Amino acid sequence: MSDKNSLKLFEDKKIRAEWDDQVEKWWFSVVDICAVLTDSDYQAARKYWKVLKGRIAAEGSELVTNCYQLKMLAPDGKMRETDVMDAEQILRLIQSIPSKKAEPFKMWLAKVGNERINAAIDPELSIAQAMQDYRRLGYSENWINQRIKSIEVRKALTDEWDKSGVEQGKEYASLTDLMTRTWSGLSIKEYKRHKGLKKENLRDNMTNTELVLNMLAEVAATDISIERKPEGFDESAKVAREGAKAAKVAREQIEKSTGKPAVSKLNAKELGNRRIAESQITIDTVETEEGGGE
């Protein structure tokens, strides 16, 4: 299995999925699909699947027998074993669940599969899908543009790490943590705690300013790496630290000019609430001005 874990959205409900490179297909969380089709929460969906699973097994169906388990991020923030099925199995499962969402879900399932195949041919399609998903989650267009750009910047840096012989996984994580500590003054663990996060993606919870500073650190490190051509983890760590120092200088200047910390406690949910409030203020202001002109 690859570690291409993803959250797919169906009518604003999240479905955990994992792409398998070897067989080129998605594995979907059965509990999440039960939650969608029965319009219930996670715990109710777990109970529903437990009962349905027993009934299907009693009928002698191979659907349950061929059901795999993968570790996926659970709502409590921990990686837990969960039942998964591929698209073909999911279509068979839907026949056992009376739901008005069955047909729309079948169309969605086909669309997800095609998106993955098309994205492999044209990477721009996967970027377009990411932008659409962020819009559904309530992010502003300005933030989305910054976030997509940050993905491109990150890819350029990891390409340099690959060339230098840095190993994916632990060494990638160590360099990322080193850079974050250097420019922000916080380790990734401390940064997440600062924002009240657990397993959530840190970058998805950064403000525009934080995203830009993080990108500056990675762009600088990439440029330095291209010139110096470091070899191995230790040399790449020196480059990473030096690149992050550029972002640290920028952060300190911003804080000096604004009198506020550049590293915010706001997370995605709070940023979304703030945007809603700001939009309401704008609407109220317009209505007041229009009313005053009558």
Side-chain angles (χ1 to χ4, degrees):
M1 291 291 166
S2 74
D3 61 352
K4 294 182 175 66
N5 296 307
S6 177
L7 280 178
K8 298 297 179 184
L9 294 175
F10 173 78
E11 296 183 353
D12 295 329
K13 286 200 172 184
K14 297 177 181 178
I15 298 176
R16 291 167 294 168
E18 180 173 319
W19 176 256
D20 189 331
D21 280 322
Q22 294 183 349
V23 293
E24 295 187 340
K25 65 181 177 182
W26 283 106
W27 295 102
F28 299 92
S29 164
V30 180
V31 171
D32 293 352
I33 289 168
C34 287
V36 166
L37 295 177
T38 61
D39 200 21
S40 57
D41 61 25
Y42 178 75
Q43 293 301 330
R46 282 187 64 196
K47 293 177 182 177
Y48 183 93
W49 170 233
K50 184 178 180 179
V51 174
L52 180 61
K53 189 176 181 179
R55 193 187 80 201
I56 294 174
E59 293 172 352
S61 171
E62 294 183 357
L63 188 61
V64 173
T65 307
N66 296 330
C67 185
Y68 292 95
Q69 283 198 329
L70 292 175
K71 277 194 173 183
M72 290 183 165
L73 188 64
D76 62 4
K78 297 181 180 180
M79 297 297 290
R80 299 186 182 279
E81 294 279 352
T82 187
D83 288 338
V84 296
M85 292 182 179
D86 62 19
E88 182 180 350
Q89 291 170 315
I90 293 298
L91 289 173
R92 290 165 59 195
L93 175 68
I94 291 173
Q95 297 174 10
S96 303
I97 304 176
S99 172
K100 61 183 180 181
K101 295 183 179 180
E103 289 307 315
F105 191 83
K106 288 178 184 178
M107 294 175 65
W108 174 87
L109 198 60
K111 182 172 178 286
V112 169
N114 283 332
E115 282 171 357
R116 180 71 199 195
I117 295 169
N118 292 335
I121 299 171
D122 184 357
E124 288 186 10
L125 292 175
S126 59
I127 293 174
Q129 182 61 46
M131 293 180 74
Q132 184 178 343
D133 290 343
Y134 280 128
R135 288 189 188 103
R136 287 175 181 169
L137 293 170
Y139 290 96
S140 70
E141 287 299 313
N142 186 30
W143 185 95
I144 292 171
N145 290 333
Q146 297 285 13
R147 183 67 180 96
I148 296 302
K149 184 64 179 177
S150 75
I151 295 172
E152 177 187 336
V153 168
R154 173 69 176 181
K155 178 65 167 57
L157 177 59
T158 56
D159 284 348
E160 281 300 305
W161 287 350
D162 287 340
K163 292 177 187 176
S164 301
V166 176
E167 295 182 4
Q168 294 188 27
K170 189 175 181 180
E171 290 190 347
Y172 266 37
S174 295
L175 291 181
T176 303
D177 191 65
L178 169 64
M179 294 183 70
T180 303
R181 279 190 283 111
T182 300
W183 78 258
S184 72
L186 299 171
S187 67
I188 291 177
K189 185 176 182 180
E190 292 168 339
Y191 209 148
K192 285 189 172 184
R193 191 182 304 123
H194 184 67
K195 286 181 173 287
L197 306 175
K198 293 182 180 179
K199 295 291 185 179
E200 298 93 333
N201 186 299
L202 178 58
R203 296 177 196 225
D204 283 351
N205 288 272
M206 285 183 173
T207 63
N208 284 334
T209 300
E210 291 170 298
L211 279 174
V212 169
L213 289 170
N214 195 65
M215 280 194 286
L216 175 57
E218 295 188 332
V219 165
T222 300
D223 288 346
I224 296 169
S225 180
I226 290 172
E227 294 301 319
R228 295 189 185 173
K229 296 179 174 56
E231 294 185 6
F233 176 82
D234 291 340
E235 290 184 14
S236 294
K238 292 178 182 178
V239 169
R241 184 181 287 106
E242 193 167 339
K245 283 181 180 178
K248 178 183 178 182
V249 171
R251 173 181 66 81
E252 291 173 344
Q253 182 58 52
I254 290 171
E255 292 175 341
K256 181 179 179 181
S257 299
T258 63
K260 298 178 181 178
V263 177
S264 173
K265 287 188 175 182
L266 295 176
N267 56 39
K269 182 178 180 181
E270 292 164 331
L271 287 167
N273 290 339
R274 174 172 288 192
R275 283 192 290 272
I276 292 171
E278 289 173 348
S279 298
Q280 189 59 50
I281 290 171
T282 302
I283 292 170
D284 291 343
T285 302
V286 171
E287 288 177 347
T288 301
E289 290 175 348
E290 290 178 345
E294 291 178 355

